[in-house]
Amino acid sequence: MYCQSSLVRIFEPATILVLPVTINKIFANFDNYLPLNEQEREALASRVIERTIRRRQFILQEGDICKHYTFVAEGCFKIYHVDKKGVEHNLQFVAENDWIMELDSFYADKPSRVYIEAIEPSVILQIKKEDLFYLFTNIPKFDRNFRVIVENRYVELENRILQAISSTAEERYLSFLDHYPQLSQRLPGTQIASYLGITPEFLSKIRKDISKKH
Amino acid sequence: MYCQSSLVRIFEPATILVLPVTINKIFANFDNYLPLNEQEREALASRVIERTIRRRQFILQEGDICKHYTFVAEGCFKIYHVDKKGVEHNLQFVAENDWIMELDSFYADKPSRVYIEAIEPSVILQIKKEDLFYLFTNIPKFDRNFRVIVENRYVELENRILQAISSTAEERYLSFLDHYPQLSQRLPGTQIASYLGITPEFLSKIRKDISKKH
DNA sequence: AAATACCCTTAATATAGTTTAAGGGTGTTA
DNA sequence: TAACACCCTTAAACTATATTAAGGGTATTT
């Protein structure tokens, strides 16, 4: 496989590909779906931009139009909405080896209603819309893989809705701990409260109540 | 286009296709995405099963494995979960010209955690998993179209999460009225309350409060 | 070292939503 | 016509969660 791609490169116009090490994380991620062969990996790698993001830096703000599909190689982001009263509500956390997409804005060219902000120093890989469309059109496997990525995300969201409408705040918190054990260590309680749809004060009470039970 | 497909039919083994009238609703639905040509329509039509469903009939029960992707041609369904206390929680309503999919069960062959039940007498068109996979593999447009169907659904769900964690029950109700004006007429309040994550009694109070304001 | 920003906790009071109970309306079945 | 199932409404008592206010801890900036 390696040989084949080397040969191809010889006959192609000299495109110098500096493959960032982090790109391997994307390949490993695709291995969970339909693994990419060497040629497909190059097609992807040559269309990916690596960026280093500081803590509290935004990669999307309300009103912006989302131009990229983003893979988180390192770090963690929050996707949140600010309501009329100015209160932040966390929709999702996205940590390393997962995808960030603001689909509504990305596909419909609509101004985003959410912010996407780094909670930790992060490294991301971004694909521009036209590059993604190129991959969709020319390599059907990408169409397939990105369908599956969205499907998996859909299942997660469905579970979250279920929790939101049928569980108490304490149950939701316990389920959060269960589902995101790493994140619960890394995130401040204020962020978790915003994700659970409760106040930090009430989260504090829940934590006390839980610790009393032991 | 029509000619071409007619010719093809002559040389194929005689498959008599009795196209149900309702299939046109599926074609019209695909016109919102990437429209199907005549051949693709036939490929789809020959793999679709039409079923008439009575009120209160289930097309999926908890524990079943979801074997079909379902298009609602007429009528209305609710997708709901039953919690440990036996309380029903409506995740979604799906009415005519929309798709029902229980993705987690369908793709992972996992027992479903939800019920899908007709609220009204309904007509559906179903595609079996292997037939859908056939379409995905052989006609890339289906891969694309079903990606877009899921993406649209994802955006809807994201909006619902946002509402669930950041709005009061009254705001959620008003937004439901706004978003599903037809459904709000057709559904009993008990079902709407279950969708909003509140009790029927509280919905009743909300309705009174709203009418007072006018 | 002092000042500041951020986070966590506690507690009192207020509001949003549930539970229970009772009664009335309508449509369907015996 | 009676009986029943289903839905809607009201109200009182109760519980879950929000709001406000205050104080303390720790890390970062000045």
Side-chain angles (χ1 to χ4, degrees):
Chain A
M1 252 205 276
Y2 179 79
C3 285
Q4 186 190 17
S5 96
S6 295
L7 281 173
V8 167
R9 226 181 278 156
I10 292 170
F11 295 108
E12 274 178 351
T15 329
I16 296 167
L17 291 178
V18 181
L19 296 188
V21 179
T22 45
I23 193 93
N24 290 315
K25 294 200 178 181
I26 267 198
F27 299 154
N29 183 258
F30 275 107
D31 288 343
N32 298 326
Y33 308 109
L34 265 180
L36 304 180
N37 66 31
E38 193 65 23
Q39 271 183 309
E40 292 158 349
R41 287 182 173 205
E42 281 191 16
L44 178 61
S46 65
R47 285 171 181 81
V48 147
I49 305 149
E50 179 177 328
R51 293 176 65 195
T52 302
I53 309 290
R54 293 188 309 279
R55 195 165 117 91
R56 306 223 175 159
Q57 187 174 346
F58 292 90
I59 60 170
L60 188 76
Q61 292 193 253
E62 188 176 8
D64 289 353
I65 291 170
C66 179
K67 301 284 190 193
H68 299 87
Y69 228 90
T70 299
F71 178 81
V72 181
E74 278 172 48
C76 186
F77 290 79
K78 60 175 174 180
I79 304 179
Y80 64 94
H81 174 75
V82 178
D83 68 21
K84 321 121 207 170
K85 293 176 193 159
V87 181
E88 290 182 15
H89 300 278
N90 285 341
L91 283 161
Q92 279 180 54
F93 299 115
V94 183
E96 51 278 333
N97 300 315
D98 211 345
W99 293 88
I100 299 175
M101 57 247 189
E102 188 39 36
L103 287 185
D104 204 13
S105 175
F106 183 77
Y107 284 115
D109 278 321
K110 284 203 268 182
S112 167
R113 297 182 311 162
V114 302
Y115 295 84
I116 305 181
E117 181 186 340
I119 306 181
E120 304 176 351
S122 303
V123 177
I124 61 176
L125 297 170
Q126 292 194 306
I127 309 176
K128 277 201 296 198
K129 193 167 161 173
E130 59 260 36
D131 286 328
L132 186 63
F133 283 11
Y134 174 89
L135 294 175
F136 282 165
T137 308
N138 294 285
I139 308 176
K141 200 184 275 180
F142 284 100
D143 227 339
R144 174 83 47 95
N145 271 332
F146 280 85
R147 172 169 64 72
V148 177
I149 288 170
V150 178
E151 284 167 355
N152 287 339
R153 227 13 122 58
Y154 182 89
V155 170
E156 275 179 43
L157 263 195
E158 209 175 46
N159 288 335
R160 233 201 126 189
I161 282 277
L162 198 57
Q163 289 257 326
I165 67 175
S166 75
S167 305
T168 64
E170 179 170 327
E171 288 167 335
R172 264 139 54 208
Y173 176 59
L174 289 172
S175 150
F176 172 82
L177 292 183
D178 193 49
H179 207 67
Y180 299 103
Q182 346 74 1
L183 279 189
S184 66
Q185 304 300 320
R186 283 155 66 180
L187 296 173
T190 43
Q191 296 303 325
I192 297 174
S194 169
Y195 177 87
L196 297 174
I198 59 176
T199 58
E201 291 85 355
F202 192 54
L203 175 58
S204 192
K205 191 185 171 192
I206 288 173
R207 284 171 159 168
K208 195 178 73 176
D209 291 350
I210 290 174
S211 70
K212 267 186 192 163
K213 292 178 188 164
H214 295 274
Chain B
M1 246 201 280
Y2 180 78
C3 285
Q4 189 191 13
S5 97
S6 295
L7 281 173
V8 167
R9 223 181 282 155
I10 292 170
F11 295 107
E12 274 180 349
T15 328
I16 297 167
L17 292 178
V18 181
L19 296 187
V21 179
T22 45
I23 194 93
N24 290 316
K25 295 200 177 183
I26 269 198
F27 298 153
N29 183 259
F30 275 106
D31 288 343
N32 298 326
Y33 307 108
L34 265 180
L36 303 181
N37 65 31
E38 194 65 22
Q39 269 184 311
E40 291 158 349
R41 288 182 172 204
E42 281 190 17
L44 177 61
S46 66
R47 284 171 181 83
V48 148
I49 305 148
E50 180 177 327
R51 293 175 64 195
T52 302
I53 309 290
R54 291 188 309 280
R55 195 166 117 91
R56 308 221 174 163
Q57 187 176 345
F58 291 90
I59 60 170
L60 189 76
Q61 291 193 251
E62 188 176 8
D64 289 351
I65 291 171
C66 179
K67 301 284 190 195
H68 298 87
Y69 229 89
T70 299
F71 178 80
V72 180
E74 276 172 50
C76 186
F77 290 79
K78 60 176 174 179
I79 305 178
Y80 65 93
H81 174 74
V82 178
D83 68 20
K84 320 121 206 167
K85 292 176 193 157
V87 182
E88 290 182 15
H89 300 279
N90 284 342
L91 283 161
Q92 277 181 55
F93 300 114
V94 184
E96 52 278 333
N97 301 313
D98 211 346
W99 294 87
I100 298 175
M101 56 249 189
E102 188 38 37
L103 288 183
D104 203 14
S105 174
F106 183 77
Y107 284 115
D109 278 321
K110 285 203 267 180
S112 167
R113 296 181 312 161
V114 302
Y115 295 83
I116 305 180
E117 181 186 339
I119 306 180
E120 303 176 351
S122 303
V123 178
I124 60 177
L125 298 168
Q126 292 193 306
I127 309 176
K128 276 201 298 197
K129 193 166 164 173
E130 59 259 38
D131 286 327
L132 187 64
F133 282 11
Y134 174 88
L135 294 175
F136 282 164
T137 308
N138 294 285
I139 308 176
K141 199 184 278 181
F142 283 101
D143 226 339
R144 177 81 46 95
N145 271 331
F146 280 86
R147 173 168 64 72
V148 177
I149 288 171
V150 177
E151 283 166 354
N152 287 339
R153 224 18 120 55
Y154 182 89
V155 170
E156 275 179 44
L157 257 197
E158 207 174 49
N159 288 335
R160 233 201 126 187
I161 284 276
L162 197 56
Q163 288 257 326
I165 67 176
S166 75
S167 305
T168 64
E170 180 170 324
E171 288 167 334
R172 266 141 51 210
Y173 176 60
L174 289 172
S175 151
F176 170 82
L177 292 183
D178 193 48
H179 206 67
Y180 299 103
Q182 346 75 359
L183 280 187
S184 66
Q185 305 299 321
R186 283 157 64 181
L187 295 173
T190 42
Q191 296 303 323
I192 297 174
S194 168
Y195 177 86
L196 297 174
I198 59 176
T199 58
E201 289 85 354
F202 193 54
L203 176 58
S204 191
K205 193 183 171 192
I206 288 172
R207 284 172 159 167
K208 196 178 70 174
D209 291 351
I210 290 174
S211 69
K212 268 185 193 165
K213 291 176 188 166
H214 293 275

